[in-house]
Amino acid sequence: MTSSQSTTVAASNAGSAPSSPAPLFKQRAHDSLTNAKIQRAMRNFNLAGARARAVGEVENFEDLRTAAAAVRNRSLAMLDVWLERFEREATARGTHVHWAETHEDINRIVVEIAKRNAVKKIIKSKSMVSEESHLNDALEAQGVQVVETDLGEYIIQLSGETPSHIIAPAIHKNREDIADLFHQHHKTPRKTDISELTMEARKFLREHFLSADMGISGSNFLIAETGSTFIVTNEGNGRMTTTLPRVHVAITGVEKVLPTLEDAACIMRVLARSATGQSISNYVSINTGPKRAGDTDGPEENHVIIVDGGRTSMLGTDMQDALRCIRCGACMNHCPVYQNIGGHAYGWVYPGPIGSVLTPNYIGLEKALDLPNAATLCNQCGVVCPVRIPLPELMRKLREKQFERGLRPWQERLGLKLWSWAARRPGMYALLTKFAARMGRNMGGAEKAIHKLPGNGWTEGRDMPAPEGRTFRELYAARRR
Ligand code: SF4
């Protein structure tokens, strides 16, 4: 990367991000909570248990977390240096390195590569960054067929939806849904046995693997010292996507570079354990350049697109810690909010606690107003994150930014100002809370439940337990007597 390119990347923002449906968060959350099928699927979803078992198998998992966080911090501290090194090493080995400042840039670069190579069909391994830019739509608008090959992504593509989890994209679908989809799209007899459904997908995808002109993958990491992409999958589709078609394009975020292969080995000790509860994933593919003379497999042309899309705007700010994310999904697997509402309620590519931090940073705080508030701040996410991202703290900071920029409703801002005024006057605070506790008790009546709080949506879907009538201070004073 030249220095001028570095500057351009560093100065860019996500101004071109697709418009976000995130303002509809409350409506979407409500829809999920009242959807019996989603609620059943979320109840059956338990990667938290698998993680706990896998973490328990190693004695020093907390040390591994600390080491992984240090590796990611080292990478972010000198991001420009490692990216330039990656570009140098990858170019020397025959890879074409592209820099995409915006989401439109991703689509433009991929469409150009596809056109230049007369591509008719593309197979895709999982790439969340391509979801950010709606790459499939851009390619299909040019008449190129795109087939997702990760099983979950394939199901989502057939149903015309977006992923609801970063590692389990079809988690909201049940076996009956998938049986209907395959029957409808494959024109085969309807079956509900999971092994048979998997074998059917495998058969159909095989044909696409063998006939595609181009493969698109994500890249969990970029390795600076070797100029390699580092891809972690459980289904082997990543390996076929990167080696079978004559052209391969890897798309990844600018923050995903790691200095060395040894650094990647350190991250791998926490990634699969945190994600799916495996000690290691089934496939780890390290791809370095196109096919060389004498190689039996590999693409004739190899491209890597390194995407900013709002990421560098977080560098050097109080949001930088979030760039350590290795997309394991553990934070959402342990989040009580995600566990109830599922991923689609978050309205953009990344759900759960990390989505509530990344989305406002990538596409703008004003387009994701509810997300930093979509958390109880219980810190389960912070406790399990393998790279020690302080997610609750980051969400609290985003709430502060919303308040400072006047992005919250005036009633909320006024309420907080009044509370802050009273909290700084202990005598006044004691008097007001005493009054509120008594009033709350009276409002609750014999049922001890408040059915309607004026100007507050909290009681629209449930009652609020009435206070007992005495404040904490009063109870504390009574116990000391
Ligand atoms: S924030 Fe942490 S727990 Fe959540 S996906 Fe990223 S690395 Fe995993």
Side-chain angles (χ1 to χ4, degrees):
M1 182 170 63
T2 64
S3 56
S4 66
Q5 281 170 316
S6 301
T7 314
T8 311
V9 172
S12 73
N13 206 328
S16 58
S19 66
S20 164
L24 299 173
F25 174 79
K26 283 183 185 163
Q27 183 57 49
R28 286 165 180 267
H30 180 265
D31 292 348
S32 297
L33 288 167
T34 51
N35 183 321
K37 208 159 68 173
I38 291 179
Q39 290 302 304
R40 226 177 2 259
M42 297 316 294
R43 271 199 301 279
N44 292 336
F45 176 52
N46 182 18
L47 285 177
R51 176 199 174 270
R53 278 189 296 280
V55 164
E57 288 167 4
V58 281
E59 272 178 23
N60 58 344
F61 193 73
E62 290 308 305
D63 294 340
L64 295 179
R65 287 178 71 210
T66 303
V71 162
R72 292 297 293 130
N73 279 339
R74 185 158 75 99
S75 161
L76 294 171
M78 296 202 301
L79 196 58
D80 53 345
V81 171
W82 303 123
L83 286 169
E84 284 181 4
R85 173 92 192 267
F86 173 82
E87 183 179 45
R88 235 180 8 255
E89 301 295 341
T91 306
R93 290 162 175 81
T95 293
H96 303 275
V97 178
H98 309 261
W99 300 92
E101 192 177 327
T102 65
H103 294 111
E104 282 81 3
D105 290 341
I106 305 174
N107 296 352
R108 177 183 49 74
I109 294 166
V110 177
V111 166
E112 278 170 14
I113 297 170
K115 278 188 177 162
R116 211 169 41 245
N117 287 281
V119 168
K120 296 273 178 297
K121 185 194 281 189
I122 293 176
I123 48 169
K124 259 183 92 209
S125 175
K126 200 159 180 305
S127 160
M128 295 307 284
V129 184
S130 73
E131 299 282 343
E132 292 179 29
S133 71
H134 300 290
L135 178 61
N136 290 9
D137 294 342
L139 285 164
E140 279 159 8
Q142 299 296 322
V144 180
Q145 184 187 3
V146 184
V147 182
E148 296 283 353
T149 62
D150 171 275
L151 183 55
E153 293 281 350
Y154 179 62
I155 291 165
I156 291 301
Q157 187 182 30
L158 292 184
S159 65
E161 293 175 273
T162 53
S164 64
H165 189 284
I166 59 174
I167 62 161
I171 199 64
H172 58 288
K173 293 237 163 275
N174 63 30
R175 182 202 316 218
E176 299 296 327
D177 296 332
I178 297 164
D180 288 340
L181 273 174
F182 282 12
H183 171 61
Q184 183 193 342
H185 289 272
H186 296 163
K187 313 279 183 235
T188 51
R190 188 177 187 277
K191 47 186 81 73
T192 52
D193 179 82
I194 290 177
S195 311
E196 286 183 33
L197 287 167
T198 310
M199 289 310 290
E200 183 169 309
R202 189 173 190 266
K203 177 170 161 280
F204 274 78
L205 287 175
R206 270 298 139 107
E207 289 167 18
H208 291 303
F209 279 124
L210 295 172
S211 57
D213 310 294
M214 181 163 139
I216 295 178
S217 69
S219 182
N220 293 71
F221 309 109
L222 299 172
I223 309 297
E225 67 172 350
T226 57
S228 312
T229 54
F230 192 100
I231 299 172
V232 182
T233 69
N234 268 330
E235 297 170 17
N237 61 313
R239 190 161 290 179
M240 290 200 277
T241 300
T242 53
T243 54
L244 288 179
R246 58 192 160 88
V247 183
H248 169 235
V249 181
I251 307 171
T252 196
V254 75
E255 82 284 17
K256 292 292 180 61
V257 69
L258 291 176
T260 65
L261 278 168
E262 198 173 328
D263 290 329
C266 172
I267 299 286
M268 284 305 290
R269 300 193 72 191
V270 295
L271 176 55
R273 283 192 171 90
S274 303
T276 48
Q278 297 164 280
S279 51
I280 189 154
S281 57
N282 292 345
Y283 296 87
V284 176
S285 303
I286 303 170
N287 300 315
T288 311
K291 182 158 83 174
R292 282 157 300 199
D295 285 352
T296 48
D297 300 303
E300 291 156 21
E301 210 174 292
N302 195 44
H303 299 261
V304 174
I305 302 176
I306 304 177
V307 179
D308 184 348
R311 288 155 173 83
T312 55
S313 69
M314 298 164 71
L315 277 176
T317 73
D318 54 3
M319 292 288 127
Q320 177 167 315
D321 285 345
L323 293 174
R324 287 205 295 271
C325 179
I326 55 173
R327 305 288 192 267
C328 71
C331 55
M332 51 203 81
N333 301 342
H334 292 76
C335 173
V337 176
Y338 177 90
Q339 291 296 311
N340 275 287
I341 62 175
H344 286 151
Y346 292 81
W348 204 57
V349 180
Y350 304 102
I354 187 61
S356 294
V357 174
L358 292 183
T359 305
N361 279 291
Y362 285 4
I363 69 171
L365 193 52
E366 58 293 334
K367 290 184 183 166
L369 274 186
D370 284 325
L371 296 190
N373 299 284
T376 61
L377 304 188
C378 67
N379 196 33
Q380 265 302 299
C381 50
V383 168
V384 297
C385 176
V387 284
R388 296 194 183 280
I389 298 175
L391 289 156
E393 195 184 316
L394 297 180
M395 284 186 268
R396 192 179 50 72
K397 283 180 181 160
L398 286 168
R399 292 180 189 187
E400 282 171 16
K401 286 181 207 286
Q402 289 183 335
F403 186 81
E404 282 159 13
R405 287 175 51 188
L407 293 172
R408 299 304 303 168
W410 69 266
Q411 301 93 327
E412 189 179 313
R413 282 184 284 135
L414 179 66
L416 278 171
K417 276 190 179 145
L418 287 173
W419 182 85
S420 155
W421 179 83
R424 279 178 277 134
R425 291 164 179 79
M428 173 70 72
Y429 191 79
L431 196 69
L432 288 174
T433 49
K434 202 167 165 180
F435 173 72
R438 308 287 193 278
M439 198 170 81
R441 180 187 58 193
N442 294 342
M443 283 172 76
E447 289 179 72
K448 296 190 174 178
I450 300 172
H451 304 304
K452 179 99 188 108
L453 271 177
N456 188 316
W458 204 86
T459 47
E460 276 170 23
R462 57 215 178 297
D463 293 340
M464 178 171 159
E468 288 295 327
R470 285 192 298 167
T471 64
F472 174 78
R473 285 179 180 211
E474 289 176 294
L475 292 169
Y476 185 70
R479 281 189 74 165
R480 288 185 60 134
R481 274 201 290 271

